[in-house]
Amino acid sequence: MGEDTVAELRVPDVDDAVKRVRALDVAGDDGERTDLAPADEEAAGNTGTIDGVGDVKARAVALIDDDRLLQAARLLRAHDVHVPIIDPRDAADVKLNAFIPKAAVMEELIESLKADPRRPGTEWIVQCEHSGRRDVSIYYRMDEETQTKLTARIESPIRKDMLVPFLSVLNESELYKSWLPNWTMPRLRVRRSDKLSQTGRCSQVVLVTVDLPWPFSSRECVLDAWGVDDIDASGDICVLVDSVNPGASMRCGGVVPDVDESGVVRIDFTGGFLFRKLPDGWDAKRDAARAASSWFGTASGAGGDEESAGLSTGGTSAPGRASFDSDSVRSADDADAAGGDGTRPCDDRILVSVQMYMDPKLAYVPTSLLNFVIRTVMYTMWCMLLRVAEKVRDGKSEPHRASIAAKAGELYDWVRERTGAMLARIFAPLPVGTA
């Protein structure tokens, strides 16, 4: 990896970041803020003397412009400013009405992602809890009434040096089609991935078209992705992804286009990503749950054999042949990921989670197709995302390297700075006497 690549992707050393970033409050076991000293109110958006409702609104807008939507919502609630504003009088009111309702959706998503899917009485069904080169847990549930609407949740601890590469792979939506897996039997492929608008520093609107097996027509979704920096308040990074309907206004001022192909059906999607501190006892709780159920997830059980499933990746592989390196085939990388001797990795990990709800607009979903999506597609796509992030980290993805370099000043320098603050918060040594 050349020097330029290292400069583009380097995650700031945690020890250095700790020295630069002001220590915040003492965090609870799950990384949530338990209290804020007055000096720390600036981090939560509550700094200085508030001079009336107009000042509160102006500060909330400034937080939104700095990608701190959740802090803006907390500030408004703390000062009893209710949104939506019934009679908007200026641009600030209009902006708050457009943005703040999304904070409630994001807060609900975060609450769901932080709840233990293995707790008694949960509606989640365990599909896969796989340890190895890539640690992946997958859960799902179906809408009881229709049995066609799927909610899925995927979790993976990742090393801290994967955070910036992972975020960059998510952000570079125009490259999705180059790495997302395609299947020939049954046919399932991402045919189109177009960025319609860059609506903020780390927010965008993306159109994705997916071809389904015969006799189903292709499905399409226009996704509005909102990146939110909540590092100073909770230590988290969040991304809300929500579908938008044709004719709806985008935050940049444009309008969501109608379907431009006959036979393509627009579907509904809501979900998002959460990056946070790995909860204490994560490995022990997961292993205990596996032992209690007497079931151990494996790559073959979750994703199956990609070649026999007719998988190709990014449209570059021969039909029916996979270029994805199946986790069912062990390699030296497994030992490396586990610390070189098969033991637990050193605890330099964070937790990345995604939850997604999909309504495919189908009256009936064949069991075979549903099982294929749940057992093979979700696992394989997630592993491909992790694999591409690893390549970006190691400087082996030229398209991503070039895009990151081109956007360094406007985006990725800021991403490195903010993730450095996040890692400093997560990995800062505990104060003396608290260990």
Side-chain angles (χ1 to χ4, degrees):
M1 182 164 46
E3 292 183 358
D4 291 342
T5 304
V6 173
E8 295 297 336
L9 299 179
R10 182 182 64 85
V11 178
D13 182 82
V14 172
D15 291 335
D16 292 341
V18 169
K19 296 176 184 178
R20 295 196 306 269
V21 177
R22 173 172 51 84
L24 296 177
D25 52 290
V26 176
D29 288 342
D30 61 355
E32 287 287 357
R33 185 179 67 180
T34 56
D35 193 15
L36 279 180
D40 296 320
E41 288 298 314
E42 181 178 357
N46 300 332
T47 181
T49 302
I50 299 296
D51 186 17
V53 173
D55 192 15
V56 173
K57 293 179 181 179
R59 295 184 187 205
V61 169
L63 287 168
I64 291 172
D65 290 341
D66 198 32
D67 299 301
R68 305 187 190 210
L69 176 64
L70 295 177
Q71 291 177 237
R74 295 186 195 108
L75 176 64
L76 294 172
R77 285 198 297 264
H79 293 277
D80 294 322
V81 177
H82 300 288
V83 176
I85 298 166
I86 303 302
D87 183 21
R89 299 178 179 275
D90 54 27
D93 289 353
V94 172
K95 187 158 195 171
L96 294 176
N97 281 350
F99 281 71
I100 293 301
K102 288 293 184 180
V105 179
M106 183 169 287
E107 287 167 339
E108 183 178 349
L109 173 71
I110 292 171
E111 182 180 3
S112 179
L113 282 170
K114 289 189 175 182
D116 186 355
R118 313 176 196 91
R119 70 189 186 280
T122 181
E123 296 179 352
W124 291 108
I125 300 170
V126 179
Q127 169 54 37
C128 162
E129 289 183 318
H130 168 60
S131 293
R133 178 179 177 184
R134 300 180 181 94
D135 195 340
V136 181
S137 299
I138 301 178
Y139 312 90
Y140 74 96
R141 61 189 181 214
M142 300 298 299
D143 175 71
E144 292 185 0
E145 181 179 351
T146 66
Q147 287 297 304
T148 62
K149 300 172 184 177
L150 171 68
T151 303
R153 173 172 170 174
I154 308 175
E155 297 179 330
S156 284
I158 62 172
R159 290 182 171 178
K160 62 177 182 282
D161 64 357
M162 281 278 286
L163 178 55
V164 174
F166 194 106
L167 291 169
S168 72
V169 175
L170 287 183
N171 182 70
E172 298 305 323
S173 56
E174 292 151 309
L175 297 176
Y176 287 173
K177 193 173 180 294
S178 70
W179 62 265
L180 281 171
N182 299 321
W183 285 265
T184 56
M185 187 63 66
R187 184 183 74 157
L188 188 70
R189 66 174 183 134
V190 176
R191 171 161 51 89
R192 181 180 180 188
S193 177
D194 297 336
K195 183 165 72 173
L196 302 182
S197 175
Q198 186 73 37
T199 53
R201 177 169 48 190
C202 49
S203 302
Q204 56 187 280
V205 177
V206 182
L207 185 151
V208 179
T209 305
V210 178
D211 291 333
L212 299 181
W214 183 90
F216 302 108
S217 57
S218 298
R219 261 48 188 175
E220 183 175 273
C221 197
V222 177
L223 302 172
D224 190 4
W226 303 56
V228 174
D229 171 2
D230 203 41
I231 294 166
D232 292 337
S234 67
D236 300 338
I237 294 174
C238 323
V239 181
L240 177 66
V241 183
D242 201 6
S243 58
V244 287
N245 297 321
S249 297
M250 293 186 282
R251 283 170 284 159
C252 63
V255 175
V256 176
D258 291 326
V259 176
D260 59 5
E261 296 182 46
S262 62
V264 175
V265 177
R266 284 273 171 92
I267 67 171
D268 296 332
F269 181 101
T270 300
F273 292 79
L274 178 64
F275 302 82
R276 61 177 173 127
K277 174 187 176 184
L278 185 69
D280 292 341
W282 167 267
D283 297 308
K285 290 178 182 177
R286 183 197 56 198
D287 292 346
R290 289 179 183 173
S293 62
S294 299
W295 184 87
F296 293 83
T298 63
S300 58
D305 179 79
E306 291 82 1
E307 187 164 335
S308 65
L311 169 69
S312 62
T313 55
T316 58
S317 301
R321 183 169 184 81
S323 63
F324 177 63
D325 56 335
S326 173
D327 282 10
S328 60
V329 180
R330 298 295 177 231
S331 68
D333 291 329
D334 287 302
D336 178 67
D341 58 359
T343 61
R344 292 285 187 196
C346 59
D347 209 0
D348 64 347
R349 299 169 296 163
I350 63 173
L351 182 64
V352 54
S353 309
V354 60
Q355 185 168 305
M356 45 195 155
Y357 161 85
M358 293 165 281
D359 179 2
K361 304 294 185 181
L362 290 171
Y364 168 72
V365 178
T367 302
S368 58
L369 178 59
L370 180 61
N371 287 339
F372 178 64
V373 171
I374 292 172
R375 297 178 180 178
T376 300
V377 174
M378 291 192 299
Y379 176 83
T380 305
M381 293 183 73
W382 186 254
C383 285
M384 283 300 298
L385 173 56
L386 293 172
R387 181 174 183 250
V388 174
E390 290 165 359
K391 292 175 67 176
V392 172
R393 177 197 61 191
D394 298 337
K396 296 179 180 179
S397 176
E398 177 56 29
H400 286 91
R401 189 211 64 79
S403 186
I404 290 168
K407 301 174 185 175
E410 64 187 83
L411 175 62
Y412 286 106
D413 288 345
W414 175 80
V415 169
R416 288 194 298 272
E417 176 189 350
R418 295 306 298 153
T419 54
M422 175 183 177
L423 297 175
R425 179 188 176 102
I426 291 175
F427 295 106
L430 291 173
V432 176
T434 64

